[in-house]
Amino acid sequence: MCKCCDSKQEAVFADSNQHRLNEIISAYQGHDGALIPVLQEAQEMYGYLPEAVMRAIAKGLKIPEAKVFGVVTFYAQFRLKPTGRNLIRVCMGTACHVRGAQKVLSEIERELAIVAGETTADQRFTLETVACIGACGLAPVMTINGQVFGNMNSGLVPDILKRFK
Ligand code: FES
C-alpha cells in the first residue's frame, strides 16, 4: 500500500474514535499521573497506540510529545503496532514459571516462528508474556483472546493454535 493510502487509513481510524479519546483526555486533565491511565484507555480502544493518538494525548494533557513517546517505549505494556487477529499471552509469573511456562512459551515461539513481543507476518497471532494473571491454581497458564488455557504443556500447543484462524 502506498504511503498516502496508509496515512488516509490512519486518519479515518483515528476519527472514528476521536470523540471517545477526547472524553478520556478531559476526564484526566489536570490530574497528577494522568498520562499512564490515559494511554492505557487509549490502547484499550485502538488495540495499540498510533502516533496520531499519542500526539493528541500530548496536546490534550499539555505534556511534551517526547515525554509521551518516552513513556510508551519504556513500559512493555504499551504497543506501538497493531496486534494480530489473535492475541496470545503466556504467563511467566512465579507459579507458572516453576511449572514449566518457559517450555510452553518456547514451543509457541517455535510453532509460530516469532519471539515474544512479535506478530506473525500473516497477522494471525501476536505473542506476549505477562506476569501473574491470577489463575495460579491452573499453572502454567496462557490466554488467547482472553480465553484461559490452564495446566498447559508444550505438547498441547499445536492443537490449540490450530483452532485460531
Ligand atoms: S503465576 Fe501464572 S497465573 Fe499466577
Side-chain angles (χ1 to χ4, degrees):
M1 189 182 291
C2 71
K3 266 207 161 148
C4 83
C5 299
D6 242 359
S7 59
K8 257 188 208 158
Q9 258 202 351
E10 176 148 328
V12 171
F13 186 50
D15 282 347
S16 64
N17 290 298
Q18 190 72 53
H19 180 66
R20 176 75 191 117
L21 179 64
N22 289 340
E23 279 179 353
I24 294 168
I25 293 170
S26 312
Y28 286 96
Q29 244 159 9
H31 292 230
D32 283 346
L35 181 55
I36 301 258
V38 169
L39 288 170
Q40 284 168 333
E41 288 199 33
Q43 178 165 280
E44 189 73 25
M45 186 165 61
Y46 291 94
Y48 74 111
L49 291 166
E51 246 184 78
V53 169
M54 289 192 281
R55 288 215 174 84
I57 290 171
K59 198 170 166 202
L61 294 179
K62 299 185 174 46
I63 292 174
E65 282 180 11
K67 181 167 180 193
V68 176
F69 283 75
V71 166
V72 169
T73 47
F74 181 78
Y75 290 103
Q77 64 173 301
F78 295 122
R79 268 185 236 111
L80 286 162
K81 289 185 186 160
T83 55
R85 295 191 295 285
N86 302 293
L87 177 59
I88 305 173
R89 290 191 159 125
V90 181
C91 178
M92 300 302 284
T94 307
C96 289
H97 179 74
V98 167
R99 301 193 62 184
Q102 184 57 53
K103 280 190 183 156
V104 174
L105 178 65
S106 299
E107 178 61 13
I108 298 170
E109 289 178 331
R110 199 189 61 75
E111 276 274 325
L112 301 180
I114 55 173
V115 295
E118 292 183 343
T119 297
T120 53
D122 62 3
Q123 304 293 311
R124 187 170 160 221
F125 288 107
T126 294
L127 176 61
E128 290 183 347
T129 56
V130 289
C132 179
I133 59 167
C136 311
L138 298 174
V141 178
M142 72 174 194
T143 63
I144 303 184
N145 305 331
Q147 187 181 342
V148 176
F149 295 88
N151 299 313
M152 280 298 298
N153 64 61
S154 54
L156 297 173
V157 166
D159 277 350
I160 292 174
L161 294 184
K162 270 188 207 131
R163 295 184 218 163
F164 295 86
K165 298 294 171 201

